[in-house]
Structures are given as C-alpha cells and as structure tokens.
Amino acid sequence: MDHPRALLADDEPHLLDYLQTQLATAWPQLRIVGKAGNGIEALRLIDELAPDVVFLDIQMPGLNGLTLAGRLTADGKAPHIVFVTAHHEYAVDAFDHAALDYLLKPTTPERLAKTVAKLKLALHAPAPAVAPDALRALLQQLAAPVPAAPVAAPLQWIRAAHGDETRLIAIDEVIYFQSNDKYTSVFLQDGECLIRTPLSKLREQLDEARFWQIHRSVIVAAKSVAGTHTDFRGRLVVKLKERREQLTVSRNYAEQFKQM
C-alpha cells in the first residue's frame, strides 16, 4: 500500500496538530484524510472515509477511545488502531481492543518511528494476535520507574512539546511550572510548553533552593520572583520579573515568603 490513509482523533487541537506534523516527517506517504475532536465525530468520519489507520486518543468527550475501538472491532472490519494517550495504565485495555500500538503523549520522533514501522508491516501482512502475557510485560515496561542514582543530580534539561516541535529546554529558562488536567505546563519568557511529568514527580528532580513550591499546582523559579503583595482577598500573590501574570501562594506555602 503506497499511500495509506489515516484519521487522527484527539480532543486537544494543539496535540492533534503536533501529531500530524510528526507523522508528516516520520511517514511522508501517509495521507491524513480527516481529524476529529471527539469520539462521536471520529466514529462518523471513520465510517465515511474508511481510513486504513486511526490514531486514537483514549480520553475524549462523547465517546472514549476504548469504547470507540470496541465498536470498530465488533464487525471485524476495523482499521489498524494506534492509541495515543497520556496515561500508561490504559495499555492492556488498549491491546484488548485490538490496538496495533500504544503511544504516550507528547509523542517522541523515536517512538513514533517504531510505530510507523509496525504499521507498514501490518498493512502488508496482518500481525498475529498479541498474547496476554506480552501485554502485561508491556505494561510493566511502561510503568517501571527509572532506577534512581545513588545521589541524583538536580534536573538540568527538559524535553517538552511546543507547538509542532519538541524543544530541549535548559532548566534556567523556566519561570514556573503549573499542573493542569493531563500535563504539566512549563512557562518560559517566550511562551509555554507541555511535559508529561506530574508536578509531584517533577518536584523531586528540582533543586529546592532554586525552585519554590507556592501552591499544590505551581512551582516557581526563585530567580524569577520580583516580589509579593497581598490582594484584596487577603491572599499572598507573587509578582514575576519576566511575565505579566501573578501567582497566588496557598497558605501551606506562605511561610517561605515571610522574610521578603
């Protein structure tokens, strides 16, 4: 199949565009025939466009990816499915729904290249069923923590999704981190990037002298703090040197600012 057809489904438009850009590089012959922002729209477009491959987000409004995959595979005529999600705990369920592969977001070029290779093989000759033991082994690999060094050095670099590219960011460039629904936002002087590392895990890798947690969802670089003041509600607020927004300090973390 010289020019296979693909459909992309994700409820986050910027990640949908990011995946499309990555695929254009990894597989130039692949034709993106449609993009969907929710499960119901994806089901309609798959029925209408009959793609050979579907890159499917698991957590979507209306109809989640696992339910959608179950409907597609019920009649035995499903396209090849690749799940793309932020949560590794869905891996076994993904393969139970006949997924050919499973990607964690934001997708790296190296990992996507392996998925493309699998898809090319599968499009020429259907792959054998994946054994349950192999699925469990995959989940263990995805979930396994990286062995800690005897004395872990503070984090120096971050690889983050920024628009249609992956950036390597020096930790000194970071102004603050903020946890959101699925990702951690990394705020820089010139914009915002996304990483998959939870804020709680990120805190363990940061130098406490250089990065202060001021809220359960915010860690700020000490060098970027211009000062503090109390707002009309009596909340302590941090003013930043490089950005206009101000950050609220929760009561649990206000103690470190008493000397300022």
Side-chain angles (χ1 to χ4, degrees):
M1 190 176 295
D2 294 331
H3 295 282
R5 297 152 47 86
L7 183 136
L8 315 181
D10 198 309
D11 62 334
E12 298 179 85
H14 61 293
L15 292 175
L16 200 61
D17 293 340
Y18 175 73
L19 178 58
Q20 182 175 6
T21 301
Q22 293 289 85
L23 282 168
T25 300
W27 197 357
Q29 296 79 18
L30 184 69
R31 293 174 53 202
I32 308 299
V33 296
K35 295 193 290 185
N38 59 67
I40 294 174
E41 182 184 10
L43 186 61
R44 178 182 63 80
L45 289 175
I46 292 167
D47 183 61
E48 177 184 330
L49 301 172
D52 304 297
V53 180
V54 177
F55 288 83
L56 191 61
D57 186 23
I58 288 182
Q59 292 184 306
M60 292 189 294
L63 191 66
N64 70 48
L66 295 175
T67 302
L68 172 55
R71 293 192 185 184
L72 292 175
T73 55
D75 60 5
K77 299 179 181 179
H80 292 292
I81 297 170
V82 175
F83 282 110
V84 188
T85 183
H87 304 285
H88 64 69
E89 61 266 26
Y90 291 111
V92 169
D93 283 343
F95 282 95
D96 281 346
H97 287 79
L100 183 113
D101 206 353
Y102 180 92
L103 296 169
L104 290 175
K105 299 190 288 188
T107 307
T108 65
E110 297 81 8
R111 183 63 181 85
L112 184 58
K114 294 180 180 179
T115 296
V116 168
K118 286 185 181 181
L119 285 167
K120 288 180 178 179
L121 288 174
L123 288 168
H124 287 87
V130 182
D133 288 347
L135 300 182
R136 295 188 184 93
L138 173 65
L139 181 59
Q140 290 173 357
Q141 290 174 14
L142 291 167
V146 177
V151 179
L155 190 65
Q156 298 298 322
W157 299 90
I158 295 171
R159 187 172 64 182
H162 184 255
D164 60 357
E165 65 178 11
T166 299
R167 291 183 56 179
L168 187 63
I169 301 167
I171 199 69
D172 289 337
E173 296 180 48
V174 177
I175 296 173
Y176 68 96
F177 299 97
Q178 186 170 42
S179 176
N180 55 44
D181 184 31
K182 295 183 179 180
Y183 304 95
T184 296
S185 295
V186 183
F187 288 89
L188 314 170
Q189 187 170 356
D190 61 348
E192 174 187 355
C193 300
L194 295 174
I195 59 175
R196 286 190 287 106
T197 307
L199 198 70
S200 57
K201 187 69 175 177
L202 190 63
R203 182 182 181 184
E204 298 173 3
Q205 303 175 57
L206 296 172
D207 185 343
E208 292 184 359
R210 297 170 62 193
F211 287 89
W212 302 341
Q213 184 147 18
I214 63 171
H215 191 277
R216 66 180 182 181
S217 63
V218 179
I219 295 176
V220 65
K223 67 177 179 58
S224 296
V225 175
T228 63
H229 67 272
T230 303
D231 67 8
F232 70 96
R233 295 180 180 176
R235 301 176 304 182
L236 189 62
V237 176
V238 168
K239 182 179 180 182
L240 301 171
K241 295 176 182 177
E242 302 96 338
R243 295 182 62 96
R244 298 179 63 181
E245 67 265 32
Q246 299 186 20
L247 308 174
T248 301
V249 181
S250 70
R251 292 180 180 178
N252 292 337
Y253 299 99
E255 183 71 25
Q256 61 191 328
F257 293 97
K258 284 191 175 182
Q259 303 303 320
M260 293 187 67

